[in-house]
Amino acid sequence: MLKEKVETALNNQIKEELYSSYLYLSMAAFFENQNFSGFSNWMRIQAQEEYGHAMKIYNYILERGGNVKLQKIDAPKGTWQNQLEAFEDTLKHEQKVSKSIYDLVELSFAEKDHATNTFLHWFVNEQVEEESTALKIVERVKLTGDNKGALFILDRELGMRSTAK
Ligand SMILES: [Fe+2]
Ligand SMILES: [Fe+2]
């Protein structure tokens, strides 16, 4: 059985992952409206991945005989100044999610819940990748500077991302 504290924290993490999905869907719509379909495609896939993260936790709670209690999800921002601001927000958001995963890991230690601790390892590794990918795109957008052509090349490249993990 899951301890109540752990169950509450896992339910909270489901909300964080679904909020992430919401945020990236919002960015996808924003990019589409700017005619950057590649950036939009990347964000749509990212949103699917975040939904998958939420479902991993959802299934884990059920597997442990716990209760899934879905929470209210805040509305994300809908506009950004440009690609750079959106990806800087993405990076900041992923750093925040990493922190919340680390808090969960600490809690699982404190509550001696080794199963949850092991379950969370996947998320710790995933966050390393999420932060690194977001940072890489921030740096690449910065490199394009005022060069619209370079931005469209990056858009085409991000448009090639095809599946959620
Ligand atoms: Fe996630
Ligand atoms: Fe993420």
Side-chain angles (χ1 to χ4, degrees), residues 55-73:
M55 288 310 292
K56 250 186 210 291
I57 303 167
Y58 175 104
N59 288 328
Y60 175 73
I61 294 174
L62 293 176
E63 210 181 339
R64 296 288 308 278
N67 294 307
V68 169
K69 290 182 197 136
L70 296 178
Q71 301 171 18
K72 188 174 163 186
I73 305 166

Side-chain angles (χ1 to χ4, degrees), residues 17 20 50 53 94 97 127 130:
E17 301 295 343
S20 304
E50 299 298 355
H53 297 169
E94 289 301 333
V97 171
Q127 282 312 115
E130 296 267 81

